[in-house]
């Protein structure tokens, strides 16, 4: 697989009163828009709903909208986002493990890309049965729920394992990482095998750089990491 690195700024990190303007300001510097959906149960936070995803789709036609569901009650919430304009929907292996295969199949049958995510305490082995089905595997490198947390470096061991499994089994999933990624540690993430880089606080909360400038630096560093 020829590797390309996709930068996916997390809208959760943006100023909620300036989201549209901030996306416009970095429009030529990102590949995907990452949308964290939280229900207050699976994680102790609330964020966006399906109408927000529709608004993104309407205002940024052609944008790849990467929806990450951190929710319980998949059978209620998943159908709302299948029809929201999402390009890819990622669900958590921990939510309803017995329904994981069925939920991923539901997403794919709707014509969307499907992903599965695991929290820091969940081993890769827990999702071995769906690796062939998934289009993306999201490794959480912080405990999900809130931005601004410190990167858990041991998460890269899972990335490396998934990278090796993909090569041996000839699977096609992309490997995404989310949590504490910045201009510096993106190098280690890419070297370990990540294809999709999610960053929120690092992109939107830098007092000395615009989101576009941060993404430009991240792009440069990721490209350098591919050469190593």
């Amino acid at each position: 697989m020829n590797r390309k690195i996709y930068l996916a700024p997390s809208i959760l990190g943006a100023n909620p009163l300036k989201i549209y303007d901030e996306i416009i300001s970095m429009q030529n510097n990102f590949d995907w828009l990452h949308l964290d959906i939280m229900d207050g149960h699976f994680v102790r936070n609330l964020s966006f709903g399906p109408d927000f995803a529709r608004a993104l789709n309407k205002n940024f036609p052609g944008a790849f909208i990467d929806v990450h569901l951190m929710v319980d009650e998949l059978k209620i919430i998943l159908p709302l986002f299948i029809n929201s304009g999402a390009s890819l929907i990622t669900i958590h292996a921990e939510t309803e493990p017995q329904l994981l295969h069925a939920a991923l199949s539901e997403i794919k049958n709707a014509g969307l890309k499907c992903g599965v995510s695991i929290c820091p305490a969940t081993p890769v082995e827990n999702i071995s049965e769906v690796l062939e089905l998934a289009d993306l595997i999201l490794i959480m490198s912080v405990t999900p729920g809130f931005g601004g947390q410190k990167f858990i470096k041991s998460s890269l061991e899972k990335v490396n394992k998934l990278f090796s499994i993909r090569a041996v089994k000839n699977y096609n999933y992309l490997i995404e990482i989310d949590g504490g990624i910045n201009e510096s540690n993106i190098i280690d993430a890419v070297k370990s095998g990540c294809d999709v880089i999610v960053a929120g606080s690092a992109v939107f909360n830098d007092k000395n750089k615009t989101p576009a400038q941060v993404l430009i630096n991240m792009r440069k560093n990721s490209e350098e990491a591919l050469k190593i």
Side-chain angles (χ1 to χ4, degrees):
M1 175 186 287
N2 292 325
R3 291 184 65 198
K4 175 183 176 180
I5 304 304
Y6 298 87
L7 299 183
S10 174
I11 303 305
L12 186 68
N15 182 330
L17 297 180
K18 297 181 179 180
I19 289 176
Y20 178 84
D21 292 337
E22 292 196 329
I23 294 175
I24 287 290
S25 74
M26 60 180 186
Q27 197 163 14
N28 297 321
N29 303 110
F30 66 81
D31 301 294
W32 297 3
L33 290 173
H34 186 82
L35 191 57
D36 288 307
I37 308 301
M38 306 175 186
D39 64 355
H41 295 277
F42 184 78
V43 294
R44 294 182 181 180
N45 198 3
L46 290 167
S47 60
F48 310 103
D51 284 344
F52 186 84
R54 290 189 186 91
L56 282 180
N57 184 262
K58 179 180 179 180
N59 286 277
F60 300 97
F64 191 96
I65 301 174
D66 174 26
V67 171
H68 175 199
L69 296 183
M70 289 174 272
V71 301
D72 288 329
E73 299 293 344
L74 268 180
K75 60 177 174 281
I76 296 173
I77 296 178
L78 180 56
L80 300 177
F81 283 90
I82 282 178
N83 298 306
S84 71
S87 307
L88 181 151
I89 298 177
T90 295
I91 59 178
H92 266 267
E94 300 89 357
T95 301
E96 293 174 290
Q98 74 279 11
L99 299 177
L100 182 59
H101 192 285
L104 292 172
S105 297
E106 182 179 352
I107 297 168
K108 289 193 81 104
N109 290 340
L112 307 177
K113 300 288 187 182
C114 70
V116 58
S117 180
I118 53 176
C119 294
T122 303
V124 168
E125 288 74 17
N126 283 29
I127 57 171
S128 60
E129 296 302 318
V130 295
L131 290 179
E132 187 173 12
L133 176 63
D135 297 297
L136 178 139
I137 309 298
L138 168 55
I139 297 299
M140 292 302 302
S141 45
V142 298
T143 300
F146 294 89
Q149 298 182 62
K150 187 177 179 180
F151 177 69
I152 300 174
K153 192 169 183 179
S154 60
S155 301
L156 296 182
E157 296 173 12
K158 296 180 185 178
V159 172
N160 198 261
K161 182 176 291 188
L162 285 164
F163 187 83
S164 297
I165 293 172
R166 181 173 68 185
V168 171
K169 298 282 190 178
N170 199 29
Y171 291 155
N172 294 311
Y173 55 76
L174 295 174
I175 304 170
E176 182 175 57
I177 194 162
D178 182 4
I181 299 294
N182 55 42
E183 292 177 44
S184 298
N185 60 25
I186 189 176
I187 296 172
D188 289 334
V190 171
K191 286 168 61 178
S192 296
C194 291
D195 307 293
V196 185
I197 305 295
V198 177
S201 297
V203 172
F204 294 105
N205 296 340
D206 192 311
K207 296 180 180 179
N208 301 311
K209 300 171 192 165
T210 67
Q213 289 170 331
V214 174
L215 288 169
I216 288 169
N217 290 342
M218 294 184 82
R219 177 89 61 196
K220 178 181 177 182
N221 289 348
S222 67
E223 290 174 352
E224 288 298 319
L226 286 177
K227 299 176 184 177
I228 298 173

